[in-house]
Amino acid sequence: MAADRLYVLLERLGNLLRTEERAAGLPHGLQPVHLQALRYLQSCNRYSNTPAALTEYLGLTKGTVSQTLLLLEEKGLLRKQADTEDRRVIHLLLTEAGRAVLKQALPPELFKRALSGLPGDGAALDESLTELLRALQAANAQRSFGACGTCKHFQREGSGRFRCGLTQDPLSREDSQLLCREHEGITPGH
Amino acid sequence: MAADRLYVLLERLGNLLRTEERAAGLPHGLQPVHLQALRYLQSCNRYSNTPAALTEYLGLTKGTVSQTLLLLEEKGLLRKQADTEDRRVIHLLLTEAGRAVLKQALPPELFKRALSGLPGDGAALDESLTELLRALQAANAQRSFGACGTCKHFQREGSGRFRCGLTQDPLSREDSQLLCREHEGITPGH
DNA sequence: TCGATTTGTTTCGACTCGATACCAAATGCA
DNA sequence: TGCATTTGGTATCGAGTCGAAACAAATCGA
């Protein structure tokens, strides 16, 4: 059956990437999950840089993520900032050192080269995988963590000016490209 | 850049599958890596069901794999059989219980359903991922672990009769579909 | 025959991860 | 307002993964 083949393929690719991530993080004393956390924090928006959001993104328990963050903070790769509105909430901000580690470590050079051999630079692959991920997340009742600009709450207000229909906050063009934990895809045919 | 997007996609899919595997293995007290080992042993040929081959397949160290096998043996999911030729070598054979666990656990139902939403049942996806995996394995100097029948040592000898050009062993039609650690893809254009 | 290589095991320590309990702040509800 | 519930985050514990290193045994090769 095709499902079996695809499952094994994705699993093996996942393992390979993990192995490479392990190697990439080793010189900094970081595990794969640490690099993933850093990368998420680099590309998420200001509503989504909290331990709770990261927990959902990684699909781990909050206790586990709390430990991860402790380590990253000790290494000086991120700092915590209390929220001014909700005093339970903490925002996670990458330091310069954190950004530097990411820049150096990801994505691995090998991966880029392997990709260049694919037809169309992997555009079709991108599309299929995106769809597959979307379906799996929906089946698991998981959030999609898509880019702000592709959300159903995203509103255009003229040239280069946007707004989030959920929070009513104005959004810049840069904002619109960041990942959001409240992201909901636009349901086609509606 | 497209490489970044694809990298993140594959990583997230990998994480999702791991999470599902974790859940699937939980009732049996198995970790993701245990299920992966069982699945490999189910689909590899008689040259490749050894600890060393499994170690290469999983990309772990032999010490780690040895621990994994100890656990699987204790649970009665596989048994070890000494090789008659080389007394250092041990063959790993799934028990009925091992096969039963696999049948029940993989691939997850959710995955199959998500897949059914893809155009062409994911045939194009399959092709792209296969190529990507091949490129990555080549870049990492890793073995491909492809199906025997797609190997450059595979020889046809008439209707339903085959032979391995490396070992000179005769091969059945079933053999030709199993994964082999000596597998080498046919280089196109030669 | 003797060293080098290969196959597999054992042991150790660092680390992940889930489970559980816990605390504080916010929210819902009467 | 008052109190239970929910939410966000932390701390602690134990099971288990994983790599590194040391080790034993069989095989290979000069």
Side-chain angles (χ1 to χ4, degrees), chain B residues 8-184:
Chain B
V8 171
L9 271 173
L10 284 171
E11 186 185 82
R12 298 204 64 194
L13 276 166
N15 282 350
L16 254 173
L17 295 197
R18 277 182 75 80
T19 301
E20 293 205 23
E21 259 185 4
R22 196 178 289 279
L26 196 61
H28 307 99
L30 298 176
Q31 304 283 329
V33 71
H34 300 147
L35 289 175
Q36 292 179 29
L38 291 178
R39 205 170 45 237
Y40 170 76
L41 292 176
Q42 185 180 44
S43 46
C44 73
N45 68 13
R46 59 186 181 274
Y47 309 128
S48 313
N49 59 355
T50 70
L54 180 59
T55 296
E56 288 184 278
Y57 179 84
L58 294 176
L60 304 175
T61 61
K62 54 187 183 173
T64 299
V65 170
S66 186
Q67 289 306 100
T68 297
L69 293 174
L70 209 60
L71 183 145
L72 290 176
E73 195 182 13
E74 275 170 10
K75 286 193 181 289
L77 303 181
L78 63 78
R79 61 190 179 82
K80 297 180 177 175
Q81 190 178 56
D83 189 287
T84 52
E85 309 268 320
D86 187 334
R87 288 196 297 171
R88 293 170 307 180
V89 174
I90 285 180
H91 291 277
L92 306 165
L93 305 169
L94 290 190
T95 62
E96 270 316 306
R99 250 176 267 276
V101 165
L102 265 183
K103 200 166 192 173
Q104 187 191 337
L106 290 168
E109 210 46 50
L110 279 178
F111 183 75
K112 284 188 197 163
R113 245 181 298 150
L115 214 60
S116 69
L118 287 184
D121 237 24
L125 181 56
D126 187 327
E127 208 167 319
S128 307
L129 289 180
T130 302
E131 175 55 28
L132 181 58
L133 181 59
R134 199 201 57 70
L136 278 173
Q137 281 172 334
N140 284 16
Q142 266 196 339
R143 294 175 188 273
S144 60
F145 285 97
C148 173
T150 67
C151 177
K152 77 177 187 188
H153 298 121
F154 186 72
Q155 298 169 355
R156 282 156 216 287
E157 294 204 325
S159 63
R161 287 169 46 232
F162 313 100
R163 186 175 296 277
C164 172
L166 203 62
T167 65
Q168 293 300 328
D169 280 355
L171 298 167
S172 72
R173 190 180 298 280
E174 293 74 42
D175 285 335
S176 73
Q177 301 185 13
L178 298 177
L179 307 185
C180 181
R181 91 188 271 204
E182 304 291 350
H183 179 275
E184 285 184 58

Side-chain angles (χ1 to χ4, degrees), chain A residues 93-148:
Chain A
L93 306 170
L94 290 190
T95 62
E96 269 315 306
R99 248 176 269 275
V101 165
L102 266 184
K103 201 164 192 173
Q104 188 191 338
L106 291 168
E109 210 45 50
L110 280 178
F111 183 75
K112 283 189 197 163
R113 243 181 298 150
L115 213 61
S116 69
L118 286 184
D121 239 22
L125 181 56
D126 187 327
E127 208 167 318
S128 308
L129 290 180
T130 302
E131 175 56 26
L132 181 58
L133 181 59
R134 199 201 56 69
L136 278 174
Q137 283 172 332
N140 283 17
Q142 266 196 338
R143 295 174 187 273
S144 61
F145 285 97
C148 173

